[in-house]
Amino acid sequence: MKPILEVAALAGIEEEELELYGRYKAKLSPSLWERVRTRQDGKLVLVTAMNPTPAGEGKTLTTIGLAQALNAAGHRTVAALREPSLGPCFGMKGGATGSGKAQIVPAEDINLHFTGDLHAITSAHNLLAAMIDNHIHQGNVLRLNPQRIVWKRAMDMNDRSLRSIVTGLGDGNGAVREGGFLITTASEVMAILCLSTGLGDLKERLGRIIIGYNQDGEAVTAAQLDAVEAMTILLKDAIKPNLVQTLEGTPVIVHGGPFANIAHGCSSVLGTRLALKLGEIVVTEAGFGADLGAEKFLDIKCRQAGLSPAAAVLVVTVKALKYNGGMAKDRLRETGMRALEDGLSNMKRHVENLKKFGVPAVVAINHFADDLPEEVERVLAECRAMNVPAAVSNVWAEGSAGGLELAKALTDLLEKESSNYRPLYELDTDIRTKIETIVREIYRGAEVSYSPTALRSLKDIEQLGYGNVPVCMAKTQYSFSDQPKLLGAPEGFKVQVREISLSAGAGFVVVHTGNIMTMPGLPKSPAAVHMSIDDDGRISGLF
C-alpha cells in the first residue's frame, strides 16, 4: 500500500484537505469541495450486474479492476464505492472489498470498523429511538400514540430475532409497545446521509423524518422532538467521504452503504460529486442486479443529485447465466450450453432495461478460470447480436492488465455514443403509477396486488403531500419478480406489495414486496464461524 498522502496527491488532493485515520485511510475535508466545486465534471460510469446467484458475479471486483485498468490506459480515474456492512461480512457474504488483484485496501479495516461511519449512523438512529420513548415516558407533550410509532431501532448486524420486539417491560421502563430492529443499511439515516449535499441539507432532511403519529392521526417529526442537532453532532464526521486505494494505488472514495434490495443501494452523493471533480472518469457501482441498484441509482440518486451517467457496465458470468437457465449450483462447473442459452434471457433483459433510461451499456464478462471458451464465445456472440459491446474481464487474476480490453470497450463507447439519460417515470405521477411502471417496464410483471395495510399507508402518504416523490422498491435480489426462485427472465407474474412506508427525509417511499425483510438473518453456517485471529492480530477467513 502507498501512504494515503501519496494516493491523495495523485488525485490532486492537498495534505491539509485530508483528515488522516492512520497511514492508509483518510476523510476528505469540506474545504476540498470548496476548492474544486467549479471544475468540469468527469464522466460518470455505473457498474451494475445481472441478478445475483450463489456463484457470485463480481460487481465490486469489476468496478475496482476497471478503475485500475482505465488508469493504466492513461485515463485519470477515481472509483466511488459503498462501505461494507458488518451484517453480510459476518453472515453469508464475507468481505466486500473485491478480491484477487482487484481489491481496495486496507481491506480488513474497510470491512470492519473503517472510520466509524456505520457506527455513527447506528448511534444517531438509536438516539432518535431513545428520545421518542423518553418523550412518551416524560409526559408526552406531543401526544404521540405509542401504538403508531413507526421509527424502529437499528444495528449493523444480521439478527432475525430482533425483527419484532416489545419494549418498556417492567415497572418504570416506559410505555409498553411493539417495536423492532432493522439493519443499519436500511436506516433512513443512512439514506439521508448518502443523499445529503452537506451539513445544512443533512439537518433539514433529518428534521423531516416522521417518527410516528399523534392521537389525532397527525404526523410527528424528528424536528418536533428537538432531536436534529444532537443527531447531526453524531454524524458530523460520518458525512465526510473516505479516501482509500486499490492494490495498484488508484484513488477510491468509499462512503455510505445502503443495501439495494431493502434500500436505495448507492454510495453517497457527496462522494460521487467529489470524485467527478477529481477524475476524468468516475466508476461507481450500485448494489445487486440492475433491476434494483441501477434502477434506484437512475430514478432516485441521479434525479435528486442532478447527475447524468455517461454509460453503464453490466457484469455477467457464465456460471450465473447457467444458474439462471436452470442449472443446479453444484453443477455450474460442468458444460451446460442449454442452460447457458436459457440464462442469456436474464442478461438481455437487463440490457434492454438500461436502454430504457437512455444510457449506453457495455457487457463485462467476469472470467473464471474454469469457464469454457465456447461458453464465453456464446455470450460474446449474443452481445454482438444485440449490438452491445462486450469484453472479457480478467481483473481478479491479472489486475489492471486483465481489464484493458474492458477499459477499451468502455472508452470506445464513451467516444462513440452520447448518453440520453432520463428517469423511468415522472415525479408528478401518483405513487401507484410509479410502482406499476417499475413492475411493468423493469420487472415485466403483469399486475400489482396491494395489501389493505399498504393501501392505508398509501392514502396517508398522499394526504401528507408526499405523492410526488420517487419509490424505492424493497424486493428480492434473486429474481426480476418478488419470488426468489423465479429465475431467468419471467413475465406476466403478480407482485405482492405488503407494506409502503415513507422516508420523508430521504425523499422517497419504500415499497415492501413479497417476503423481503429489512433485518436479514444469519445463514446456517455464518461466515463468522470460519474466521480467526492469531496472537499477532492477523485475521483469516474474512474474505
Side-chain angles (χ1 to χ4, degrees):
M1 282 185 288
K2 297 177 181 179
I4 199 64
L5 289 172
E6 291 184 20
V7 177
L10 288 173
I13 302 169
E14 299 171 2
E15 183 174 352
E16 59 268 23
E17 294 167 334
L18 297 174
E19 297 177 12
L20 298 177
Y21 281 64
R23 283 174 55 81
Y24 302 110
K25 54 187 186 289
K27 281 195 168 288
L28 298 172
S29 168
S31 63
L32 171 61
W33 172 252
E34 293 305 317
R35 180 170 67 85
V36 302
R37 62 186 302 170
T38 58
R39 288 182 184 175
Q40 183 176 346
D41 283 349
K43 293 184 177 181
L44 181 60
V45 176
L46 171 69
V47 178
T48 183
M50 60 182 292
N51 291 95
T53 72
E57 285 58 68
K59 179 166 37 51
T60 303
L61 163 88
T62 303
T63 304
I64 297 165
L66 174 59
Q68 292 183 150
L70 286 164
N71 266 319
H75 306 280
R76 192 174 73 251
T77 302
V78 177
L81 297 174
R82 294 174 299 159
E83 299 180 45
S85 162
L86 293 179
C89 283
F90 289 96
M92 181 181 293
K93 190 175 182 180
T97 50
S99 59
K101 293 186 177 181
Q103 295 186 48
I104 51 174
V105 288
E108 289 173 356
D109 289 1
I110 297 168
N111 279 303
L112 297 175
H113 304 293
F114 199 18
T115 56
D117 293 349
L118 267 71
H119 299 320
I121 292 166
T122 303
S123 296
H125 183 112
N126 289 331
L127 170 64
L128 180 56
M131 290 182 71
I132 292 167
D133 284 319
N134 183 64
H135 181 87
I136 295 171
H137 178 68
Q138 300 290 358
N140 199 5
V141 173
L142 294 174
R143 300 174 59 246
L144 278 163
N145 182 347
Q147 307 311 313
R148 293 201 67 191
I149 302 299
V150 297
W151 191 255
K152 295 184 177 182
R153 285 167 165 81
M155 66 182 298
D156 186 28
M157 188 57 63
N158 296 2
D159 193 344
R160 63 173 57 82
S161 65
L162 294 178
R163 288 171 181 164
S164 297
I165 63 170
V166 176
T167 60
L169 295 175
D171 291 342
N173 294 330
V176 177
R177 66 178 184 87
E178 293 185 8
F181 276 76
L182 40 77
I183 194 165
T184 300
T185 52
S187 166
E188 186 179 354
V189 178
M190 171 68 82
I192 286 171
L193 183 104
C194 288
L195 292 169
S196 294
T197 57
L199 271 178
D201 188 33
L202 176 70
K203 279 188 183 183
E204 184 179 335
R205 288 173 177 271
L206 291 172
R208 294 203 303 261
I209 291 173
I210 293 176
I211 60 174
Y213 297 83
N214 66 18
Q215 299 291 350
D216 298 322
E218 299 166 333
V220 179
T221 65
Q224 291 174 268
L225 200 64
D226 293 327
V228 173
E229 294 294 330
M231 293 174 72
T232 306
I233 289 169
L234 288 172
L235 297 169
K236 70 179 180 64
D237 293 318
I239 196 173
K240 300 170 185 174
N242 308 290
L243 180 69
V244 290
Q245 63 188 292
T246 73
L247 285 175
E248 297 184 15
T250 291
V252 184
I253 294 176
V254 178
H255 196 216
F259 289 169
N261 58 344
I262 52 179
H264 76 282
C266 310
S267 61
S268 76
V269 167
L270 280 171
T272 305
R273 282 181 164 177
L274 264 177
L276 286 167
K277 300 301 182 183
L278 299 172
E280 296 172 4
I281 299 176
V282 172
V283 185
T284 190
E285 58 103 21
F288 293 123
D291 56 318
L292 287 170
E295 186 271 316
K296 295 169 184 179
F297 176 84
L298 296 163
D299 276 329
I300 298 175
K301 177 178 175 177
C302 288
R303 190 191 322 243
Q304 285 202 22
L307 302 173
S308 184
V313 176
L314 182 75
V315 179
V316 306
T317 68
V318 167
K319 287 183 174 64
L321 289 166
K322 290 192 288 190
Y323 185 84
N324 268 278
M327 182 174 274
K329 176 186 175 182
D330 58 0
R331 295 184 56 204
L332 292 176
R333 294 177 181 270
E334 302 174 11
T335 305
M337 290 301 292
R338 175 61 185 272
L340 180 62
E341 290 284 349
D342 291 342
L344 285 168
S345 62
N346 189 272
M347 176 184 77
K348 292 167 64 177
R349 172 77 58 81
H350 286 297
V351 170
E352 292 169 2
N353 286 346
L354 289 169
K355 289 182 177 179
K356 291 185 177 184
F357 292 94
V359 178
V362 58
V363 171
I365 304 171
N366 182 25
H367 190 266
F368 285 66
D370 52 2
D371 288 347
L372 297 174
E374 58 268 30
E375 293 176 331
V376 174
E377 176 53 37
R378 179 65 192 91
V379 181
L380 290 169
E382 188 63 34
C383 292
R384 288 192 293 269
M386 291 190 294
N387 197 30
V388 174
V392 177
S393 172
N394 280 294
V395 296
W396 182 90
E398 302 174 20
S400 61
L404 291 175
E405 181 185 342
L406 176 59
K408 179 67 163 58
L410 174 62
T411 53
D412 286 349
L413 181 68
L414 290 172
E415 290 176 5
K416 294 175 183 176
E417 288 194 42
S418 297
S419 173
N420 294 302
Y421 159 68
R422 58 189 176 275
L424 186 69
Y425 52 79
E426 298 296 330
L427 289 180
D428 57 6
T429 58
D430 61 78
I431 294 172
R432 284 185 67 157
T433 298
K434 293 166 191 165
I435 295 170
E436 289 158 16
T437 298
I438 294 171
V439 169
R440 182 179 64 254
E441 296 293 329
I442 302 300
Y443 308 159
R444 304 299 204 280
E447 185 180 351
V448 181
S449 175
Y450 300 87
S451 72
T453 299
L455 290 174
R456 284 195 298 271
S457 298
L458 187 60
K459 182 179 178 181
D460 290 342
I461 290 167
E462 291 183 333
Q463 285 181 344
L464 286 169
Y466 285 94
N468 62 342
V469 297
V471 298
C472 178
M473 302 293 287
K475 180 186 75 70
T476 178
Q477 63 268 34
Y478 299 113
S479 171
F480 277 106
S481 73
D482 59 351
Q483 305 163 50
K485 295 183 179 180
L486 199 56
L487 303 178
E491 296 181 354
F493 48 84
K494 179 189 292 186
V495 170
Q496 306 282 345
V497 173
R498 187 180 77 252
E499 183 182 350
I500 301 175
S501 57
L502 173 62
S503 293
F508 54 67
V509 296
V510 182
V511 180
H512 305 258
T513 70
N515 295 318
I516 194 73
M517 297 289 182
T518 54
M519 169 56 83
L522 293 171
K524 186 174 183 179
S525 179
V529 305
H530 306 292
M531 297 177 187
S532 62
I533 183 168
D534 66 17
D535 291 344
D536 295 319
R538 288 187 293 264
I539 297 171
S540 60
L542 184 58
F543 307 104

